[in-house]
C-alpha cells in the first residue's frame, strides 16, 4: 500500500474528517468522500482513512479546485467543529451542569463502523449507537473499552456449510484511531496489577464528534507473551482469560480516566463485564481514609448499571479463588477488606455460589435498568432474592427500552423521500411522534418506488458481494450458489440476520420443509429468504444451525430462493435492514432481552413478523407488522416450536404474501404500503436512541449527576 498522499492545503482537513467517526452518520460528510472518488469509496468498503491512502494525487488536486466539492467540504467541516464544541445542543439548552464532569460509559464492545471490528453483536451495536447519540445531544460523555488488535473474527463457510473463524490483525494505518496522550504529550500507558505481576496497557483514542472513546490494548513488547494476548480477541479464551480481561476493563478503565484528568459524575456499566469498576473506585476511597461502607455507598450513588441478559447462565460468574488470585495485586494493603469485596459478588444463580459480575454491579449501582418492558419483568423475577437485600426503591430495576441511532440506520433513499414530506427540521426532533404524522401524506406510489429502490440496492449488493468473492478467492461453486446467485430482484424478500444461536431458532421456518417450498416457489407470488449471522466460535449448536441453513440454500427443492450471506457485519447489516421487505424474528420467548435489528428494519419500512418478545410487545400496533401468536403456550419446547412454526406459516400464507402481491393497475400494493407507513410512523420516534438517551438522562443519570455536583459545592 502506498503512503498517504499529501493533501492540498485547501482540503487538508480531510484527514481530520476521516479520522473522526462522526462522519459515519452525517450525510454531508459521507458525501464528501463519495464525491472525492466513488470507486475507491466502494473499494474500501466506505473506509475514508484507507481511501485517502489510495486516492490519486490528481483526483485530490481536482477536488481542491472544484467549487461544488469545496462547498460540500466546507459545510461538513463546519458541522464537525460545531459537534465538537457541543454548542446549541439538547444538553447545553437544558442543563447548567456544563461539560466538565462526564458520564463514563464502560462496555466490552463498541460497534462504530465495519473498519473497526471490535464488536460481536447486539450489545456492541447498542453501545455504539448510545455513543453516537451522546455526541448528537451534546452530553459530557466518555467511553471506555478494549481495542482487540485481532478484532472479532471474519466468517468463512466451507463447501459443506461449516463456519470457520479467521482472525486478522487490525491495520492501524487504516483505522480511525490514534494513541491517547498523557498530560506531557507522551503516549499513554497505564499499569494494572494482575495477580503477582503488572500488566502494561496502551490506550487508543477514537473520536466521535463531541465525545471520545478510549480503548485498551495489552499487546506491548514489555508484557509477557500470554499477557499480550489478553486483549487480542473479543470474547476469546477460557474463563481464566475472561476474568483477567474484565479486571483490566474495570480497574484499568478507571486508571485511564484518572490519568487523562477525567472526574466522571456518572459511571455507567453496560453489562456485568465492567463490574470491577466499582472495586477500583472503592479501593480509591479506602485509601483516602473512608470506611468500606462509606466508600461503597459513595460509589453506589454515582453508578448506573444496564443488564441485557435474560437467562441466569448468561451472566459472568467466576470461582472465588480465581477472582481472589487475579485481584490480589490490586488489593495491596487493603486485604482486611477481602471478605467485603468478595461479598459484593457472592450469588447463587442455580449453579452454586460464585462471584457473579451482575450481582456485583446490582449491589453497587443506585440505578439499574433492563432494556425492554418485558425484560424488566424477567429481570425483576430472576434477581428477586438479590433485589430483596438492596436499598428500597420504587423501581429497583427500571426498564429503559433500547433504541437505534436513526440517522445512522435510515437509508439514504428513504431519507431523501422523508426530506420532501416531513417538516424541514425533522432530524433535530425525530423523537417527536407528531413529526412522523406527515409520513401518511407520502403518496403510495412514491413510497413504494422508494422501497423498490432499497430492495434493488440490497439485491445488487448481495449478488455483487458473492461474485467478487468468487473471482477474488476462487470459492467453491456451492458457496456461490448459497450466497444468493439465484435471488430475484422483485420477489418478496424475508430477512433473518442476527447472531446464530439456538434460542433465536434460525431454523424454525424450516419446520415443515414441504410447506415452505410451496410458499417460496409459487410462480405468481415468489418468496425468498436472506440469512446472515455469525455463531460464537464456541457455540456448536449455533454452528450446526448455520450449517443447516446453508444446506437448505443448496437444496433444489427451494429453487435457489434461500441465501446465506457470509461474514455479517455493520456494512452488510445496513443493506439488509434497509432492503428486505419482511424482518423475521422468532426467538424462544422470553429469551430476547430487546433486539434492535427489528427496530432498524421497521424504521426503514421493513415489516416485522415477530414473536411477542423483547421490544416487539411495545412496538406492535396491529397495522405496522405481524405478531407470531399460536394462541397456546407449551411447556415442551418441541411442541412450542411446532405451534410457533404453524402460526408463522399461516401468517405468511394468509396475510403477508397476499398483502405484498395485491397490486393495482400500476403495480402498487396499497395495503402493503399503508403498513409500511404505519411501521415508519410508529417505530421511528419511539425506538430511536434520542428517546432512549433522553430517558437515561432523566431516569438514570440525573440522580447521580445531582449527587456528584452537590458533593462538589
Amino acid at each position: 500500500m502506498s503512503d498517504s498522499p499529501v493533501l492540498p492545503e485547501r482540503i487538508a482537513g480531510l484527514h481530520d474528517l476521516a479520522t473522526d467517526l462522526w462522519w459515519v452518520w452525517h450525510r454531508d460528510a459521507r458525501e464528501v468522500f463519495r464525491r472525492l472518488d466513488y470507486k475507491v469509496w466502494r473499494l474500501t468498503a466506505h473506509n475514508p482513512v484507507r481511501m485517502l491512502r489510495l486516492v490519486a494525487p490528481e483526483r485530490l488536486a481536482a477536488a481542491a479546485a472544484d467549487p461544488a466539492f469545496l462547498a460540500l467540504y466546507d459545510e461538513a467541516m463546519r458541522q464537525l467543529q460545531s459537534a465538537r464544541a457541543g454548542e446549541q445542543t439538547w444538553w447545553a439548552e437544558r442543563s447548567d451542569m456544563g461539560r466538565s464532569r462526564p458520564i463514563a460509559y464502560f462496555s466490552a464492545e463498541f460497534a462504530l463502523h465495519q473498519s473497526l471490528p471490535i464488536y460481536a453483536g447486539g450489545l456492541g451495536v447498542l453501545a455504539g449507537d448510545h455513543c453516537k447519540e451522546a455526541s448528537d445531544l451534546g452530553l459530557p460523555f466518555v467511553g471506555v473499552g478494549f481495542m482487540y488488535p485481532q478484532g472479532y473474527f471474519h466468517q468463512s463457510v466451507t463447501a459443506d456449510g461449516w463456519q470457520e473463524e479467521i482472525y486478522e490483525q487490525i491495520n492501524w494505518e487504516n483505522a480511525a484511531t490514534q494513541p491517547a496522550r498523557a498530560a506531557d504529550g507522551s503516549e499513554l500507558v497505564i499499569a494494572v496489577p494482575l495477580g503477582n505481576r503488572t500488566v502494561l496497557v496502551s490506550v487508543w483514542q477514537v473520536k466521535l464528534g463531541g465525545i471520545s472513546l478510549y480503548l485498551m490494548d495489552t499487546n506491548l513488547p514489555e508484557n509477557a507473551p500470554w499477557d499480550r494476548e489478553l486483549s487480542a480477541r473479543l470474547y476469546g479464551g477460557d474463563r481464566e482469560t475472561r476474568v483477567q480481561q474484565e479486571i483490566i476493563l474495570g480497574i484499568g478503565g478507571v486508571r485511564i480516566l484518572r490519568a487523562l484528568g477525567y472526574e466522571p459524575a456518572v459511571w455507567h456499566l453496560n453489562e456485568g463485564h465492567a463490574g470491577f469498576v466499582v472495586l477500583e473506585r472503592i479501593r480509591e476511597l479506602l485509601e483516602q481514609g473512608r470506611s468500606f461502607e462509606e466508600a461503597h455507598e459513595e460509589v453506589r450513588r454515582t453508578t448506573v448499571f444496564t443488564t441485557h441478559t435474560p437467562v441466569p447462565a448468561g451472566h459472568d460468574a467466576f470461582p472465588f479463588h480465581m477472582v481472589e488470585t487475579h485481584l490480589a495485586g490490586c488489593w495491596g494493603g487493603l486485604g482486611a477488606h477481602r471478605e467485603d469485596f468478595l461479598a459484593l459478588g457472592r450469588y447463587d444463580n442455580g449453579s452454586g455460589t460464585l462471584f457473579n459480575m451482575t450481582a456485583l454491579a446490582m449491589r453497587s449501582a443506585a440505578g439499574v435498568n433492563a432494556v425492554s418492558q418485558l425484560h424488566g419483568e424477567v429481570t425483576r423475577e430472576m434477581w428477586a432474592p438479590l433485589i430483596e437485600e438492596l436499598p428500597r426503591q420504587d423501581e429497583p430495576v427500571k426498564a429503559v427500552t433500547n433504541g437505534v441511532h436513526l440517522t445512522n440506520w435510515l437509508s439514504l433513499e428513504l431519507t431523501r423521500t422523508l426530506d420532501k414530506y416531513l417538516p424541514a427540521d425533522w432530524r433535530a426532533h425525530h423523537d417527536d411522534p407528531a413529526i412522523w404524522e406527515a409520513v401518511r401524506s407520502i403518496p403510495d406510489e412514491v413510497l413504494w418506488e422508494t422501497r423498490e429502490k432499497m430492495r434493488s440496492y440490497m439485491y445488487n449488493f448481495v449478488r455483487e458481494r458473492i461474485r467478487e468473492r468468487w473471482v477474488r478467492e476462487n470459492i467453491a461453486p456451492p458457496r456461490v450458489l448459497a450466497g444468493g446467485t439465484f435471488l430475484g430482484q422483485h420477489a418478496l424478500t424475508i430477512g433473518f440476520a442476527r447472531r446464530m444461536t439456538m434460542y433465536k431458532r434460525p431454523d424454525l421456518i424450516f419446520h415443515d420443509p414441504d410447506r415452505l417450498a410451496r410458499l417460496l416457489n409459487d410462480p405468481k407470488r415468489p418468496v425468498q429468504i436472506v440469512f446472515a449471522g455469525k455463531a460464537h466460535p464456541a457455540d456448536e449448536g449455533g454452528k450446526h444451525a448455520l450449517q443447516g441453513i446453508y444446506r437448505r440454500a443448496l437444496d433444489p427443492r427451494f429453487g435457489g430462493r434461500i441465501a446465506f450471506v457470509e461474514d455479517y457485519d455493520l456494512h452488510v447489516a445496513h443493506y439488509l435492514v434497509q432492503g428486505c421487505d419482511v424482518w423475521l424474528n422468532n426467538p424462544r420467548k422470553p429469551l430476547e432481552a430487546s433486539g434492535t435489528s427489528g427496530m432498524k428494519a421497521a424504521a426503514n419500512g421493513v415489516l416485522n413478523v415477530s414473536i411477542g418478545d423483547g421490544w416487539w410487545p411495545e412496538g406492535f400496533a396491529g397495522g405496522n407488522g405481524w405478531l407470531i401468536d399460536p394462541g397456546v403456550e407449551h411447556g415442551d419446547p418441541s411442541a412450542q416450536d411446532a405451534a410457533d412454526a404453524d402460526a408463522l406459516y399461516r401468517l405468511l400464507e394468509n396475510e403477508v404474501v397476499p398483502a405484498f402481491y395485491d397490486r393495482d393497475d400500476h403495480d402498487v400494493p396499497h395495503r402493503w404500503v399503508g403498513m409500511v407507513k404505519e411501521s415508519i410512523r410508529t417505530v421511528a420516534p419511539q425506538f430511536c436512541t434520542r428517546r432512549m438517551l433522553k430517558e437515561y438522562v432523566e431516569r438514570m443519570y440525573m440522580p447521580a449527576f445531582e449527587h456528584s455536583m452537590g458533593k462538589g459545592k
Side-chain angles (χ1 to χ4, degrees), residues 23 59 63 226 252 288 302 330 356 385 432 461 547 562 663:
W23 69 261
R59 184 72 198 95
W226 47 89
Q288 295 172 19
T302 53
C330 296
N356 188 291
D432 180 359
F461 169 77
Q547 185 178 44
I562 295 170
R663 311 287 177 90

Side-chain angles (χ1 to χ4, degrees), residues 413-529:
E413 199 66 40
L414 180 59
T415 300
R416 288 170 176 157
T417 299
L418 295 175
D419 282 339
K420 295 177 182 178
Y421 294 93
L422 268 60
D425 62 348
W426 70 269
R427 286 180 180 80
H429 305 285
H430 66 252
D431 57 328
D432 180 359
I435 291 285
W436 296 89
E437 290 299 315
V439 169
R440 288 172 164 163
S441 69
I442 304 174
D444 285 3
E445 59 273 16
V446 171
L447 187 54
W448 179 242
E449 182 182 5
T450 300
R451 287 289 315 143
E452 290 266 75
K453 288 179 180 178
M454 292 161 70
R455 187 188 325 106
S456 73
Y457 297 153
M458 181 203 67
Y459 165 83
N460 290 326
F461 169 77
V462 169
R463 288 170 58 89
E464 184 66 15
R465 183 179 174 90
I466 195 62
R467 188 195 69 80
E468 288 177 353
R469 297 194 76 169
W470 185 28
V471 172
R472 185 176 67 249
E473 303 173 27
N474 193 28
I475 60 176
R479 289 177 64 186
V480 179
L481 173 59
T485 309
F486 292 156
L487 292 179
Q489 185 168 344
H490 302 290
L492 170 61
T493 304
I494 300 172
F496 185 100
R498 50 184 49 85
R499 182 163 54 91
M500 287 287 163
T501 190
M502 293 307 293
Y503 87 81
K504 293 181 183 287
R505 298 189 295 182
D507 53 357
L508 182 70
I509 199 167
F510 298 108
H511 193 271
D512 186 337
D514 293 331
R515 191 173 179 181
L516 178 61
R518 290 193 297 272
L519 185 72
L520 300 185
N521 292 317
D522 185 327
K524 295 183 179 179
R525 304 189 307 183
V527 179
Q528 56 197 14
I529 312 173

Side-chain angles (χ1 to χ4, degrees), residues 18 21 23-24 44-50 112-119 147 154 170-172 174-177 569-571:
L21 288 177
W23 69 261
V24 169
T44 60
H46 303 173
N47 180 355
V49 176
R50 184 180 174 215
L112 305 168
H113 186 256
Q114 60 268 14
S115 62
L116 198 60
I118 57 172
Y119 58 92
M147 178 51 80
H154 290 287
I170 294 175
N171 185 338
W172 302 121
N174 293 334
T177 62
D569 63 4
L570 287 179
H571 191 52

Side-chain angles (χ1 to χ4, degrees), residues 49-60:
V49 176
R50 184 180 174 215
M51 178 184 180
L52 291 181
R53 296 172 57 82
L54 297 176
V55 70
E58 55 269 23
R59 184 72 198 95
L60 291 168

Side-chain angles (χ1 to χ4, degrees), residues 672-689:
W672 185 271
V673 174
M675 295 187 70
V676 167
K677 291 180 181 179
E678 285 302 288
S679 178
I680 297 170
R681 185 185 70 83
T682 57
V683 171
Q686 182 61 25
F687 297 96
C688 61
T689 48

Side-chain angles (χ1 to χ4, degrees), residues 15 33 65 74 92 157 195-196 202 204 241 291 311 346 384 433 540 563 582 610 615 663 677 696:
H15 180 267
F33 297 113
D74 289 342
V157 179
N196 59 2
S202 62
W204 295 86
T241 299
S291 70
V311 291
R346 183 173 282 113
E540 292 294 311
V582 167
S610 178
W615 76 282
R663 311 287 177 90
K677 291 180 181 179
Y696 268 107

Side-chain angles (χ1 to χ4, degrees), residues 338-352:
R338 169 185 175 276
E339 286 300 322
D340 295 321
F341 275 116
L342 294 178
L344 292 179
R346 183 173 282 113
Y347 194 75
D348 184 354
N349 67 358
S351 302

